[in-house]
Every structure is written in C-alpha cells, then in structure tokens.
C-alpha cells in the first residue's frame, strides 16, 4: 500500500488577547517559552516526524513580519497564508491553499498547543485508516452542571463527555468539502470535528494528553515553563499484579520476556509469560486502566501464542499517553524450577527494552514454595508484581 501524503495546517491567525492580559505586547503564538516562540515549538513538533510532508501556517494579516522573524527554514514549511475573521474561516483558507497539492490526510493544529507529543500525533494518523476523522480527547473528571440565570438546572453525565484537543486529523477531500459547505450555511462552528459531525463524517477519538493543553491565559505560560523545566506537579500511583499458569509437557518456559529451557512449558492463550502478565496488570492498575484481560481478551484468537511483551508495551504506551513516568517495577517469581538467578539480567533488559525504562528501575526476584502446594509439586508457576508510576496531577 502506498504511503499517504500528510499535510499539517497550523492555525496561528488569532490575536491572542486573553493571553496578553498580563501586559505582554506579543500575541501568545509569538511569545517565547523556554526561550523559543510558541509557534516554533508547535511547528517543530510536526517537522520532527518523518511522515509529515507539508506544514502550512495560517497567520493574522498583521503578523507577517512577526512570522518572518521566526526564521523557519525547513523546506516542508509552505509560505503562510492569511486567515479569516474566525477560526473556521482561517482553517478554510488553509484548506484552499493545500487543495492544489491534494494531500491524502490533513492534521489541523492550534499554534498555541506546543506540547503535542509524537505518540499522540501518531495515534490520530493511525486512526484515519478506519475513519474520516480522528481527534485526541480527554475524559472529564469534574462534575458538569448546566445552569440558567445562575441556577443549576441539570447535571450532565460526564461519562458521555470528553474535552477535545488538537491536532484533529481528517481525510483531506472530505473535510475540505465539509468546510466549503459549512461556509455557505453556518459560520459558528467551534472546531473542525464539529464541522465533520455536521457533515455526517465518521469521527473517532484517541486518548488525549494532559500536557497537550492550549495556551489561553497568562498563567498558562508559567505552566508551560514548568513543563519545560520538568517541574510538573505529579502524584505517585502504585499498582499490583498477580498471575498463575499451570505447567504442561514442553521444552521451555517464557518468564519475564526470556525463553528458558525446561522440561515443561507454561499453558496459556498467549506465550503464558506469567511474570509479564503480572507486571502488565500492575502497570494497568496503577493508572486505573483495568487488567490485561480487558485489553487483550483470551477469547480473541489474534492473541493466540503472541509474545507477552506486546501486552507490556501497550501498558507502557498508556502511561506515556497520560504524561506518566514509570518510577520502578518489582517482580517476584515463585517456582521450584527452573532456576531464575542466572536469567535476571536478561529479564531486566527485556522489560526495560519493552517499556523504555532503565534496568536500574527494575527488580526481579525469585523464590521457591519450599515444596509445598501445586508450586512445590511443579504443577504451575506464580508471579507477583508491583509498579510505581508518577502521573500528572489534575485537580
């Protein structure tokens, strides 16, 4: 299958007046954070991705000199176009400018979101293989009230609500057509996904990122500086996992990502790596994402015989998506045989490689069951795990 061409529209056509309430003379998209203008950081987050072919800035009519002063020289950056009186109108100008180039996909990004990370952008692009549009979205944690004349009249079901972010991705021709129709009928759409919904397009969500916030108010610059300095308010979560698999005739067992020759093997739907299953559950538990069976049902044949590192990597990706960091991992394997000690370095390397975690943050321990019970009779192996994870605190 041929590669899809991908263009990005970076919408920087506003005046940024709310963010200038602190007296700054510069519109928010041209103010520096960490010494680098916001728009430069935003555009760079896409230029860092090899699959992005074109980036088109849409700017305010009065900001041509400001944009030129950014001195962006990457050949994938197209000359900026002037936006309209609203965000909807500005995006349409960008789509019109891209139309002669006929990209397959377009990502539409707020210039004031400088922290869109590669995995989030990649998820949006990947989802476009099965839908007309895709947006990052975060579940709401606050109770949402509807009010009238200052009085609460209804409480919304927040389980059915999400907060939309950008980049919002679409199949180019479909969103372009929807925007053209909308321009002649309605001019009050708040984002591109709303236009797509109005036009009957299928729009799906991917997990958003708390870091991927939009700079709107003066205090947001202080928050952005703290993020760049690594001084983000975090909280620590602890998760635990437990798993057991029976043994059956075979020639090796998979434990913590390492194949160990043995007179038996572990029985299970996947490779039955009891240590990685327990560890995956510990990570999922720490971030409140259920258990391994929720994400990889044993009734689903696509997971038949699959390496359990696939499950572990998925759990690690979920941590990254919420801006989390794995602090340390601890695994205990309980079995009479095989002997584990000599394989511990390889196990730590396998886990660290799957999660992108330094091996000095990973502990592997082993013990016997003193010949007691089903473990003592070598009928099965048990593993227990704990995971300590830091995630951004959202109050």
């Amino acid at each position: 299958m041929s590669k899809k061409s991908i263009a990005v529209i970076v919408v920087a056509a506003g005046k940024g007046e709310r963010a200038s309430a602190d007296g700054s003379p510069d519109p928010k998209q041209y103010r520096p954070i960490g010494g680098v203008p916001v728009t430069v950081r935003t555009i760079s987050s896409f230029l860092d991705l090899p699959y992005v072919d074109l980036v088109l800035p849409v700017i305010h009519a009065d900001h041509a000199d400001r944009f030129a002063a950014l001195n962006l020289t990457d050949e994938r950056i197209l000359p900026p176009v002037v936006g309209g009186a609203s965000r909807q109108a500005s995006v349409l100008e960008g789509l019109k400018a891209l139309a002669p180039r006929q990209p397959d996909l377009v990502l539409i990004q707020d210039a004031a979101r400088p922290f869109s990370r590669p995995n989030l952008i990649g998820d949006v692009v990947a989802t476009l293989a099965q839908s007309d549009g895709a947006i990052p979205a975060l579940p709401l944690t606050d109770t949402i009230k509807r009010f009238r004349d200052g009085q609460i009249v209804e409480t919304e079901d927040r389980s059915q609500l999400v907060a939309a972010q950008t980049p919002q991705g679409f199949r180019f021709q479909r969103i372009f057509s929807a925007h053209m129709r909308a321009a002649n009928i309605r001019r009050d759409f708040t984002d591109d996904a709303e236009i797509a919904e109005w036009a009957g397009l299928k729009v799906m969500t991917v997990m958003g990122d708390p870091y991927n916030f939009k700079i709107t108010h003066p205090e947001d610059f202080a928050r952005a500086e703290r993020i760049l300095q690594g001084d983000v308010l975090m909280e620590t979560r602890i998760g635990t996992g437990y798993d057991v698999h029976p043994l059956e005739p075979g020639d090796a067992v998979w434990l913590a990502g390492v194949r160990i020759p043995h007179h038996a093997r572990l029985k299970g739907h996947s490779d039955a790596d009891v240590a990685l299953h327990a560890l995956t559950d510990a990570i999922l538990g720490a971030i409140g994402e259920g258990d391994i069976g929720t994400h990889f049902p044993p009734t689903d044949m696509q997971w038949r015989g699959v390496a359990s590192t696939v499950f572990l990597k998925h759990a690690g990706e979920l941590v990254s998506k919420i801006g989390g960091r794995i602090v340390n991992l601890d695994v205990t394997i309980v079995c009479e045989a095989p002997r584990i000690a000599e394989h511990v370095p390889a196990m730590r390397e396998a886990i660290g490689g799957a999660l992108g975690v330094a091996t000095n943050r990973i502990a592997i321990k082993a013990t016997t069951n003193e010949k007691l019970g089903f473990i003592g009779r070598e009928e099965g192996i048990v593993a227990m795990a704990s995971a300590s994870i830091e995630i951004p605190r959202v109050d």
Side-chain angles (χ1 to χ4, degrees):
M1 184 176 179
S2 60
K3 173 186 175 295
K4 298 287 187 182
S5 58
I6 300 175
V8 181
I9 294 174
V10 176
V11 186
K15 293 184 177 181
E17 292 173 336
R18 282 179 292 176
S20 298
D22 59 356
S24 172
D26 296 320
K28 63 183 179 182
Q29 60 267 46
Y30 298 102
R31 288 177 63 176
I33 50 174
V36 178
V38 170
T39 294
V40 173
R41 288 191 179 276
T42 302
I43 290 176
S44 296
S45 66
F46 292 93
L47 295 177
D48 289 341
L49 303 174
Y51 55 79
V52 168
D53 300 292
L54 299 170
V55 176
L56 174 67
V58 180
I59 66 173
H60 192 278
D62 296 338
H63 296 167
D65 290 342
R66 291 181 186 275
F67 186 84
L70 299 178
N71 197 30
L72 294 166
T73 57
D74 192 291
E75 61 183 12
R76 289 175 290 170
I77 302 176
L78 298 174
V81 297
V82 173
S86 66
R87 186 186 185 282
Q88 179 181 342
S90 294
V91 172
L92 180 56
E93 292 303 316
L95 292 169
K96 288 178 178 177
L98 284 176
R101 298 176 180 270
Q102 298 184 329
D104 296 304
L105 307 176
V106 62
L107 304 178
I108 303 170
Q109 170 76 339
D110 298 325
R113 290 189 194 266
F115 299 123
S116 296
R117 295 193 280 191
N119 57 352
L120 181 142
I121 299 170
D123 287 347
V124 170
V125 171
T127 304
L128 292 177
Q130 57 192 20
S131 67
D132 300 315
I135 69 168
L138 285 174
L140 298 182
T141 56
D142 293 327
T143 298
I144 305 300
K145 303 288 187 180
R146 187 181 297 276
F147 70 96
R148 185 179 303 113
D149 298 326
Q151 180 179 339
I152 293 173
V153 296
E154 186 178 3
T155 299
E156 299 286 351
D157 179 4
R158 68 183 179 191
S159 68
Q160 301 296 313
L161 302 173
V162 293
Q165 300 181 324
T166 68
Q168 298 188 353
F170 304 93
R171 298 182 188 184
F172 179 81
Q173 289 298 337
R174 294 183 184 181
I175 193 63
F176 185 26
S177 175
H179 256 280
M180 290 291 287
R181 289 168 51 203
N184 295 322
I185 301 171
R186 273 186 61 185
R187 303 195 179 190
D188 59 349
F189 290 98
T190 58
D191 71 354
D192 306 290
E194 187 181 6
I195 292 176
E197 298 156 26
W198 169 81
L201 303 183
K202 178 183 177 182
V203 181
M204 299 182 68
T205 62
V206 303
M207 180 58 71
D209 183 345
Y211 283 173
N212 186 36
F213 71 98
K214 184 178 180 181
I215 294 175
T216 305
H217 302 288
E219 57 267 27
D220 293 333
F221 283 94
R223 180 184 177 190
E225 293 287 355
R226 290 196 301 270
I227 289 175
L228 292 174
Q229 295 165 11
D231 183 21
V232 181
L233 187 60
M234 306 287 278
E235 64 182 21
T236 300
R237 302 281 189 88
I238 305 296
T240 61
Y242 174 94
D243 198 28
V244 57
H245 280 274
L247 287 160
E248 63 181 10
D251 60 0
V253 292
W254 281 96
L255 286 172
V258 176
R259 185 179 186 276
I260 303 174
H262 192 45
H263 60 73
R265 68 181 183 184
L266 287 166
K267 182 179 180 180
H269 186 66
S270 61
D271 63 4
D273 190 327
V274 66
L276 292 193
H277 292 183
L279 184 56
T280 300
D281 269 351
I283 295 171
L284 292 174
I287 60 174
E289 283 288 341
D291 61 17
I292 195 170
T294 303
H295 296 264
F296 304 97
T299 54
D300 191 336
M301 293 307 297
Q302 69 174 306
W303 311 122
R304 181 73 176 173
V306 73
S308 294
T309 49
V310 171
F311 310 149
L312 188 64
K313 286 179 181 178
H314 175 73
E317 289 167 357
L318 292 179
V319 173
S320 295
K321 285 181 181 179
I322 62 173
R325 180 178 75 93
I326 295 174
V327 178
N328 75 288
L329 305 169
D330 189 8
V331 181
T332 299
I333 300 170
V334 187
C335 62
E336 301 299 325
R339 305 297 292 179
I340 302 299
E342 65 186 278
H343 301 288
V344 167
M347 291 175 171
R348 295 172 73 196
E349 289 288 345
I351 292 171
L355 294 171
V357 174
T359 55
N360 63 6
R361 296 182 181 272
I362 304 167
I364 306 286
K365 308 189 297 291
T367 186
T368 71
N369 216 41
E370 299 295 342
K371 301 293 183 180
L372 299 174
F374 73 91
I375 299 174
R377 295 190 298 271
E378 297 189 41
E379 295 173 0
I381 295 177
V382 163
M384 297 168 284
S386 63
S388 176
I389 295 174
E390 287 185 339
I391 67 171
R393 181 174 177 177
V394 181
D395 294 324

